Every structure is written in C-alpha cells, then in structure tokens.
Amino acid sequence: MAASYLQTEQPWVGAVRERRRALLQRVGMGCACALIFSPVLGWTFTLAWAAAYLLVQVLELTAFWPVADKGRNSLPRWRLAFGTLAVALNAASFSSLSIPLWLYGGPMGGICAAVIVCSGAVYAIVTSPRSPLILAAALTPQMAYMAAIPVMMTAWGSDGTFVMATTIALMIYAAYCLNTWARMNRASQAEASARLEAEARRKEAERAMDARGAFLAAVGHDLRTPLSAILTGAMELEREAQSASSRSNAALIGQAGLMMKSLLDDLLDHAKLDAGRMTISEVDFNLRSCLAKTLRLWQRAAAAKGLKLRVEGAAEAPAWVRGDETRLRQVLNNLISNAVKFTDEGSITLRIRSWAEEPRGHAIVIEVADTGPGMDGAQLARLFEPFDQTEDGVSARHGGTGLGLAISRDLVELMGGRLTVRSAKGEGAAFALALRLEPAESRPVEIVRPDDNGQGLITRALAGSPPAPAQAPVEAPTSAPAEEASGPEATADAVEAAPAGDEPPPLKVLVVDDHDINRRAVQLILGAIDCEIEMAADGMAALDACARQGFDVIFMDVRMPELDGRETTRRLRASDGLNRATPVIAVTADTAPEDIEACMKAGMNYFVSKPLTPPALLGALQHVLTEAEDAASAESAAA
C-alpha cells in the first residue's frame, strides 16, 4: 500500500476492501451451511435462506462497488449508510440460521446455533480492520444472537446454573472479541506506520541513488575529458618521437592513461550494478568470432611472459547466437587478464563446451584455466568480494581495484548464467562461465577490417575508388588491451596515398563539443589525415555551421548544456539543409545499451566512447565512411 494511499484512506475503506476479497468465502460458507443443515430444516427452507443470503451479498457489493472495485477512497453519506446497513444485514442473515436450529433442532440444534454465532463473531472481527463503523455493523447482530442463547436454553428447560454459566461465558467471549479487535487494530496501525516509514525511506534511498548516479555520471564524464587528452597526446608523442627513450616515455604515459580508464570503467560499472541499473542487450553475434577476437587480443601479452595461450573445443561452439557480446567479451577479457597477470610460467587454456538445449538454444560453458599459484579456501571465499584483493600486496604488484571479478560475476548473473571457480594452492585456477544463449534471429554480414591503418580506406572513399581487398584483422596493441573494446581497430600512422592522378578532396569534419580539450583531442587525431576541421562549442553553433556549409562527417558530443547532442541531431535530421543526411558520430561517455539506443533513435549513425583514442576515433570514421560508400554504391546500382 503506497504512502499516499495510506494517508488519504478512510478507516472503513480498508475493511470494505477486505470484505470484498472475502466475498467468495462468504458465498461458499453460506452454501455449505444450507447443504449441511437441510436435513434438519428441510430443502425448501434452506434454499429460500440461501437465496436471501446471496441477495444480501449483492446488496453489499452494489453499495460499496465504487470503493471495492473502482479504487475510490470516499462515498456519499447516503451510500455509506446503505453499505453499512448491508453489512449488518449480511451478518444478521448468516447467523439467522441459529433461530430455526433452536426451534426445530432442540438443544442439539442449539449447539450448532452457538457455533454459527461464534464463528460469525470471529469473522466480523477479522474483516473489520481499523474500522469501528464496519465492526459495529458486522458484530452487533452476532451479539444479539448470542444474547438469545440463554433465553433459548431457558425455554428448553435448562437448569438455571447452566444458563448462568453460559451467560457469563458469552459475556467473556464478547469481551474477548472486542479485545482481539483492539489488538488487531493497534497492529494494523503499527503496520501502516511502518509502511509509511518504509515508503519514505525507499524514496529517500531512491533519491540518494539518483543523486549518486548523477554524481558518478558527471564525474565519469569529467574524468574522461582529461583522459582523452592524456591518451591522445601520448599516442601522438609516441608516433612522432625521434628516439627510443622518447617513445618509451610516451608509451608509459599511454599505459598509465589506459590503466586510469580501466579503473574508471570498473568503478562506474560497479556503481551501476550496485544500483541495479545495469542492463543487458540482446543482439545477434558470431560467438566463434567473439572468442577468436578475445584470444587474439591477449596473444602478445601471453607471449611476452613466455606463456602458451591455447584453446580447446572451439569447434563445439555454435556460430550465430543471440546475447550481449560486449558484456561477454568484458567478462572473458577480465578472466584472461587475471590469468596472464598471475601466471608466471606454463599455459592459459580456454576450453569451450556446448550442447543443444530443448526446445531451442545452446548451453555454453567457457573455462579459463591457468597454471598459476592457485588459491586456498580462505582466498576463494573472498574472491568475488568488491575491492578485496584476496591477499596483501596484490594491488601493489599487479594493480587493479579488486572489482573485476565482482563485476564479472554480476554481469554473468544478469545474462542468466553463472561464474564459478575451482582452485588449490600450487595447482592453478579454473574459472567456468556457464550461459544459455538463444539462436540468432538473423545473420548479419560481418565486416572484416582491412589490414591497414584505416586511413587508406578513408582516402579511397573520398576518391571514389573501391576498397582494397580485405585481409586478416589487425591485432590490438598488447600494451592497451582495454582499448580494443572502445572501437574498431585502427592506428594513426602515415596516410596512405591515393591513386596517382586522382587526388581526393580533403575530408570536411565538424567537431561539436562544449569542452575545448575534447575538441583539440579530435583535431590532433584527425591531423594525421587530410582534413578541414571546423569547431563548434555547442548545439546551436553546430546548427549554424551546418546551415553555412556541407560536411562529410560530424563528431557530436552527447552531453552539452542548453542543446545536447541528441536534440541537435534531431533538429539537423528534421531540417532541409546541406547536412540533413551527413553521418553523425556520437562522442559519449555513456555507453550503456539504452544510451546508445537513444543516440541511434535521435538519428546518429555511430558512436565512439570517451576517453578518445586514435584507434577508436579513426575506426568510427572508417565505419561511417564505409557505410556511406556502400549506400552510394547500392543507390548507383539501383539507378
């Protein structure tokens, strides 16, 4: 019962609704009594009594219908009076059987009559919570029939001593009934107060969670801005460095930035899970491709430590399934990362088992086993606790917050699966991820990334020449495993020259962001290719720029004051200007499925997550230009 409901409800409203819920019980009891006592009272009388009893039920139902069935909390006075009379008639009609039982059943019938009257009194107590009005209407007829019991006993010649004892017993019973109702009333009021307090606390907790969520979102957004500058600047410094020492220093900065990004992602994921706001998407994806990409990401890291990275049972895995590929890869990356981190020699094995489940779908078990030091029982008991590193010194030696496994377990449970571990000291550890995945509803065409830095394809797209033949995907840098999930694989090396005699025009790009650091980061990354870049600090400035000239691509920040990126894109799509169909890439720190879906509904074509990095940004640019080229080719073929 909601707090607002409890505060505005009349005391008799709850009793009326309680009696409405017990309607079928009353009807059943009445029919049962008619059937049981028909041998004593005759079928004619009992059927007539049952019909009258059912008619009284209809009267009470009709009187209180607006409250009991329509949810109202008040009635006109005349209707309330009519309903109260119907309750009294209801009680009087049920216990009226006691009179003919005394008249025709004698003292034995009187025993049955006493049971009926006492049960009617109990029923009146139970169905009149917090309402003296309904209690009086339902209990008064029962008390009247109780008062008639000593009279009937006297009429049948009972001894005066028994009559007196019965009278005293009935008075005690009546007092007991009233005392019981008073205690139930106090308990009901206490329950109502507790509900009000619990509702107030729930709302306070929701407000606190909303405030914390808003705070974390703001902090996450603000922290990703300097991180973008750190990562972008480090990668550019490393690319342009003239000496090995300079490249090493730049790489150190980049690795520290990636570590900060990983910690920030973990903290934000943990906050979302703790608040119950993490969502799981359902999309079709190639499971085998997902596993292959995940393994390929960690090959160099494993090789750098002299570890063998093996896979067993890959052929058993189904190809196309439906689920959340991003979250699955996040869990697998965490498990393999831990295995690489804690294993000094030997191997890391990814074992896959799969079988069909009825009526459809696949049961999948993916195990990540290592030959590391293993864990004892005490460490296993603490393994999935947030911020717990299982032993002292782990954070100092290996880094991290102790959130990875806790997040992985919660994500797997959100996907309807289970994450378990078995280990012993000196025998390594094996983490098993068990999931049930539905078959894919469709099989989208996979895009195989070309074996260049992504800029060659951009240049060819501008020149109108066909893409180069697709080759094997590029492996992500070993030093930045977390970056692989942020966008397609690309690097910011030298620009591939266009075919001779067919110089492409420069790429016209609009960068919209309310923060100067983010605008400069995008400008720095795009400086490696032939671009004409225009900046806009807010949505209105972006619309003004779009009204003046056409652009090939627009990078649009999502969170901006006054006019955010989504609304700016909606207005752009609704206009008749030059950039109505220009690809818009969302630049956002909010990468939850519902956030990305909101961007797509607003008319955006793709997204790149903050903090920005050259691989992510150039990969997003490559993606939208490839789509634009494919669409243009299809349109030409259709013409």
Side-chain angles (χ1 to χ4, degrees):
M1 192 179 297
S4 59
Y5 178 82
L6 288 169
Q7 290 169 336
T8 59
E9 177 189 286
Q10 300 277 353
W12 54 267
V13 171
V16 166
R17 290 177 176 151
E18 184 66 33
R19 289 182 64 85
R20 174 63 180 86
R21 286 191 288 270
L23 174 62
L24 293 179
Q25 183 185 39
R26 289 199 302 275
V27 172
M29 288 298 297
C31 293
C33 288
L35 181 63
I36 292 170
F37 296 123
S38 58
V40 178
L41 305 177
W43 282 104
T44 302
F45 178 85
T46 53
L47 288 176
W49 175 86
Y53 182 70
L54 292 176
L55 178 60
V56 173
Q57 307 306 316
V58 173
L59 289 177
E60 180 178 338
L61 184 63
T62 302
F64 288 124
W65 179 72
V67 169
D69 291 275
K70 300 298 288 185
R72 297 181 186 173
N73 290 331
S74 61
L75 286 177
R77 288 188 178 182
W78 69 267
R79 193 161 194 146
L80 179 59
F82 174 52
T84 304
L85 177 61
V87 172
L89 287 174
N90 201 330
S93 63
F94 177 77
S95 295
S96 64
L97 279 176
S98 63
I99 302 300
L101 284 172
W102 272 110
L103 295 177
Y104 300 107
M108 300 305 295
I111 294 175
C112 296
V115 171
I116 288 178
V117 172
C118 290
S119 65
V122 170
Y123 183 82
I125 296 296
V126 172
T127 57
S128 305
R130 300 192 301 120
S131 176
L133 176 66
I134 300 300
L135 175 69
L139 191 59
T140 300
Q142 314 300 340
M143 294 300 180
Y145 288 122
M146 283 186 188
I149 291 178
V151 178
M152 290 295 183
M153 291 177 65
T154 302
W156 282 93
S158 297
D159 185 87
T161 304
F162 287 107
V163 173
M164 180 60 67
T166 300
T167 302
I168 294 172
L170 291 173
M171 292 174 65
I172 293 173
Y173 183 77
Y176 170 79
C177 288
L178 293 174
N179 182 60
T180 299
W181 179 86
R183 293 175 62 185
M184 291 177 61
N185 188 41
R186 287 194 295 270
S188 179
Q189 289 177 341
E191 179 186 5
S193 299
R195 287 183 178 179
L196 280 171
E197 184 178 357
E199 180 71 10
R201 288 183 177 180
R202 182 185 67 81
K203 289 185 176 181
E204 183 179 353
E206 286 182 349
R207 286 193 295 269
M209 290 175 66
D210 289 341
R212 186 178 71 169
F215 171 76
L216 287 171
V219 169
H221 186 271
D222 292 343
L223 286 177
R224 290 176 193 274
T225 294
L227 270 178
S228 296
I230 292 171
L231 292 173
T232 301
M235 290 184 180
E236 288 300 305
L237 284 174
E238 186 176 4
R239 186 176 67 86
E240 296 177 355
Q242 300 297 318
S243 66
S245 175
S246 297
R247 286 193 296 272
S248 177
N249 291 336
L252 180 62
I253 297 172
Q255 289 167 9
L258 288 171
M259 183 179 294
M260 290 175 63
K261 176 184 180 297
S262 178
L263 294 176
L264 178 61
D265 289 342
D266 281 352
L267 288 171
L268 294 177
D269 279 350
H270 175 70
K272 279 187 177 182
L273 287 163
D274 193 44
R277 299 191 176 185
M278 181 68 78
T279 57
I280 296 297
S281 63
E282 292 287 332
V283 297
D284 297 332
F285 70 98
N286 191 317
L287 178 60
R288 294 180 182 177
S289 175
C290 170
L291 296 173
K293 290 176 183 177
T294 304
L295 281 172
R296 188 162 54 246
L297 175 65
W298 293 98
Q299 281 177 344
R300 291 184 181 177
K305 293 189 69 174
L307 303 174
K308 294 181 179 179
L309 186 57
R310 303 184 302 187
V311 60
E312 296 177 0
E316 293 187 20
W320 289 96
V321 293
R322 188 169 183 79
D324 194 326
E325 180 183 12
T326 300
R327 295 304 179 186
L328 177 59
R329 291 190 68 180
Q330 180 179 347
V331 173
L332 291 176
N333 279 331
N334 180 261
L335 298 181
I336 299 175
S337 171
N338 285 343
V340 172
K341 183 190 301 183
F342 293 105
T343 305
D344 293 327
E345 58 182 3
S347 63
I348 298 167
T349 305
L350 189 73
R351 298 189 182 96
I352 302 120
R353 287 177 291 158
S354 172
W355 57 92
E357 279 209 340
E358 295 296 336
R360 63 199 300 265
H362 307 275
I364 312 289
V365 176
I366 304 173
E367 185 179 77
V368 178
D370 63 56
T371 57
M375 294 169 283
D376 57 26
Q379 290 174 311
L380 288 173
R382 298 162 50 193
L383 190 60
F384 292 101
E385 292 296 323
F387 304 104
D388 196 325
Q389 298 277 27
T390 72
E391 64 180 5
D392 295 335
V394 169
S395 180
R397 295 194 305 271
H398 301 288
T401 60
L403 284 174
L405 286 176
I407 291 172
S408 296
R409 177 201 57 191
D410 293 343
L411 287 176
V412 171
E413 290 178 354
L414 276 178
M415 290 187 284
R418 189 179 179 192
L419 181 62
T420 58
V421 60
R422 67 177 189 277
S423 181
K425 274 293 186 182
E427 298 181 9
F431 289 82
L433 188 164
L435 282 176
R436 185 184 183 280
L437 297 175
E438 294 290 326
E441 296 179 2
S442 62
R443 297 191 178 187
V445 177
E446 287 192 290
I447 300 175
V448 181
R449 302 297 178 194
D451 190 16
D452 63 16
N453 57 21
Q455 299 163 35
L457 187 141
I458 294 170
T459 305
R460 287 190 295 272
L462 292 173
S465 57
Q471 300 180 21
V474 181
E475 293 183 2
T478 305
S479 62
E483 178 58 33
E484 193 275 342
S486 66
E489 296 154 345
T491 57
D493 296 331
V495 181
E496 179 180 322
D502 194 11
E503 186 68 25
L507 187 68
K508 293 183 179 180
V509 179
L510 175 63
V511 179
V512 188
D513 200 297
D514 63 322
H515 207 295
D516 180 59
I517 288 180
N518 283 333
R519 297 196 298 271
R520 289 165 58 192
V522 175
Q523 185 179 29
L524 182 62
I525 295 172
L526 295 181
I529 61 178
D530 189 13
C531 283
E532 290 182 1
I533 302 174
E534 181 160 339
M535 305 289 193
D538 55 52
M540 294 305 299
L543 292 175
D544 290 341
C546 289
R548 293 194 306 268
Q549 63 173 307
F551 295 98
D552 296 303
V553 176
I554 300 172
F555 286 95
M556 182 77 70
D557 185 28
V558 173
R559 284 176 176 248
M560 292 187 293
E562 297 184 14
L563 195 65
D564 65 24
R566 292 169 186 160
E567 180 58 29
T568 303
T569 305
R570 277 191 285 267
R571 295 189 184 185
L572 185 65
R573 298 298 185 223
S575 70
D576 295 325
L578 299 170
N579 297 283
R580 181 178 182 180
T582 299
V584 176
I585 299 175
V587 181
T588 177
D590 304 319
T591 56
E594 60 270 20
D595 296 316
I596 301 306
E597 183 180 0
C599 290
M600 298 302 107
K601 287 182 177 179
M604 295 175 169
N605 302 82
Y606 202 60
F607 78 96
V608 60
S609 64
K610 295 180 181 179
L612 300 175
T613 62
L617 197 73
L618 293 174
L621 187 60
Q622 174 184 350
H623 176 86
V624 296
L625 290 176
T626 302
E627 281 195 342
E629 182 184 10
D630 292 343
S633 299
E635 192 172 319
S636 299

